[in-house]
């Protein structure tokens, strides 16, 4: 990336996609391309964050996101500090603010945070001097997931503007859906969200997305389909009749794709997959699937985010 483009980055935190401009999103994607090439080297490591320490404060379970951030930090030569909240002072009644300030007192420059409460990273960013990166907050946003999704689509199709991208599943509870809608619409894509009416939040059309409960309508003409995990724990709330009924009406399988979708459609999924529920085994492992590409690209995108935020130190 050219020096001028690097200096155009002004954000101290990454709290969500909604607050980013189109140019800032493109800057992250551009830098991600540079770091993707680093990951292909025999020694996939560069020194920009040598001497920096990045804390991983995950207050919810995570495998992919946490591992991806830790690997991204190490590829940039940073040290990492993992905070296990299941055995931390949280259980002794310590507040989030005090926990974060104690972590920062150990000379930590960045805090990567996942929390079950929407807005928790925004609150934390007002309490500490360290840069805060939102790794998922409640049902609000998951910015780096959206960035890696967009990066993967752009890598495969060579553009975002003008594409039709359909997001299928539990839109109401999905931070991934919200961040994707913000990122894709800012880059000129046409976004359709589809799911049972009980899983479509009121007012979602105000984000610029088209809303439908007709799977055929969502799939026809789509260049990419982002299939969301059905949060099985939500079934206790009876938001749809049964898992079998959901799969029959909204599940993505080879037959459905053959009938309604483009031949070259891309299939994305943020993981973990409920195989046989929202996505069939044959489609998840098909040539249309870019799910493993998403995982690989997640490291490059998170390297880009960590690097760009380090410029504001």
């Amino acid at each position: 990336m050219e020096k001028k483009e690097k200096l155009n980055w002004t954000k101290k935190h990454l709290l969500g996609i909604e607050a980013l401009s189109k140019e800032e999103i493109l800057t992250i994607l551009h830098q991600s391309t540079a770091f993707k090439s680093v990951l292909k080297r025999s020694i996939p490591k560069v020194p920009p964050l040598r001497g920096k320490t990045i804390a991983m404060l995950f207050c919810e379970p995570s495998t992919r996101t946490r591992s991806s951030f830790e690997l991204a930090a190490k590829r940039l030569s940073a040290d990492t500090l993992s905070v296990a909240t299941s055995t931390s002072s949280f259980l002794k009644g310590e507040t989030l603010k005090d926990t974060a300030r104690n972590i920062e007192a150990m000379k930590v420059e960045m805090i990567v945070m996942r929390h079950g409460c929407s807005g928790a990273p925004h609150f934390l960013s007002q309490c500490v001097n360290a840069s805060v990166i939102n790794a998922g907050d409640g049902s609000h946003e998951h910015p780096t997931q959206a960035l890696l999704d967009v990066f993967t689509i752009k890598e495969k199709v060579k553009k975002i503007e003008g594409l039709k991208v359909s997001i299928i599943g539990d839109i109401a509870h999905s931070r991934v859906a919200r961040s994707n809608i913000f990122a894709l619409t800012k880059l000129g894509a046409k976004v359709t969200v589809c799911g049972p009416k009980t899983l479509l939040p009121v007012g979602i059309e105000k984000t610029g997305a088209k809303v439908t409960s007709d799977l055929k309508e969502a799939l026809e003409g789509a260049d990419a389909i982002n299939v969301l995990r059905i949060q099985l724990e939500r079934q206790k709330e009876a938001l749809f009749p049964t898992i079998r009924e959901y799969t029959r009406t909204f599940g993505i399988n080879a037959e459905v794709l053959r009938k309604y979708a483009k031949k070259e459609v891309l299939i994305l999924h943020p993981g973990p997959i409920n195989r046989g529920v929202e996505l069939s085994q044959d489609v998840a492992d098909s040539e249309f699937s870019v799910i493993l590409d998403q995982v690989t690209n997640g490291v490059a995108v998170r390297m880009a985010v960590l690097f760009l935020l380090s410029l504001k130190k």
Side-chain angles (χ1 to χ4, degrees), residues 143-255:
T144 58
Q145 180 67 49
L147 290 166
L148 72 88
D149 291 345
V150 170
F151 181 81
T152 301
I153 295 171
K154 191 170 186 291
E155 184 179 55
K156 298 294 181 181
V157 189
K158 309 305 179 190
K159 66 174 185 176
I160 296 295
E161 188 170 1
L163 296 183
K164 177 181 177 181
V165 181
S166 293
I167 305 173
I168 315 293
D170 184 355
I171 309 299
H173 301 101
S174 177
R175 53 196 174 206
V176 173
R178 282 171 178 75
S179 289
N180 264 276
I181 292 169
F182 293 139
L184 289 163
T185 53
K186 287 183 180 187
L187 295 180
K190 300 170 185 175
V191 181
T192 297
V193 296
C194 177
K197 290 183 179 178
T198 51
L199 296 180
L200 295 172
V202 175
I204 190 68
E205 66 278 354
K206 293 178 182 177
T207 62
K210 181 179 179 181
V211 183
T212 182
S213 289
D214 184 342
L215 185 63
K216 177 183 176 182
E217 182 182 356
L219 297 186
E220 285 183 336
D223 299 285
I225 303 167
N226 202 337
V227 186
L228 302 177
R229 179 180 76 88
I230 283 301
Q231 300 176 43
L232 299 177
E233 61 273 18
R234 301 290 181 188
Q235 182 55 13
K236 296 174 185 176
E237 301 173 21
L239 296 175
F240 48 88
T242 65
I243 296 296
R244 178 177 290 185
E245 178 69 15
Y246 178 89
T247 301
R248 189 180 70 81
T249 310
F250 296 99
I252 303 298
N253 56 49
E255 183 183 355

Side-chain angles (χ1 to χ4, degrees), residues 247-266:
T247 301
R248 189 180 70 81
T249 310
F250 296 99
I252 303 298
N253 56 49
E255 183 183 355
V256 166
L257 291 181
R258 225 175 4 252
K259 285 170 75 172
Y260 305 129
K262 281 185 175 181
K263 218 172 190 180
E264 64 280 12
V265 69
L266 299 179

Side-chain angles (χ1 to χ4, degrees), residues 7-18:
L7 295 177
N8 281 340
W9 184 262
T10 60
K11 293 283 192 296
K12 180 179 180 181
H13 310 287
L14 179 64
L15 303 177
I17 299 295
E18 188 174 15

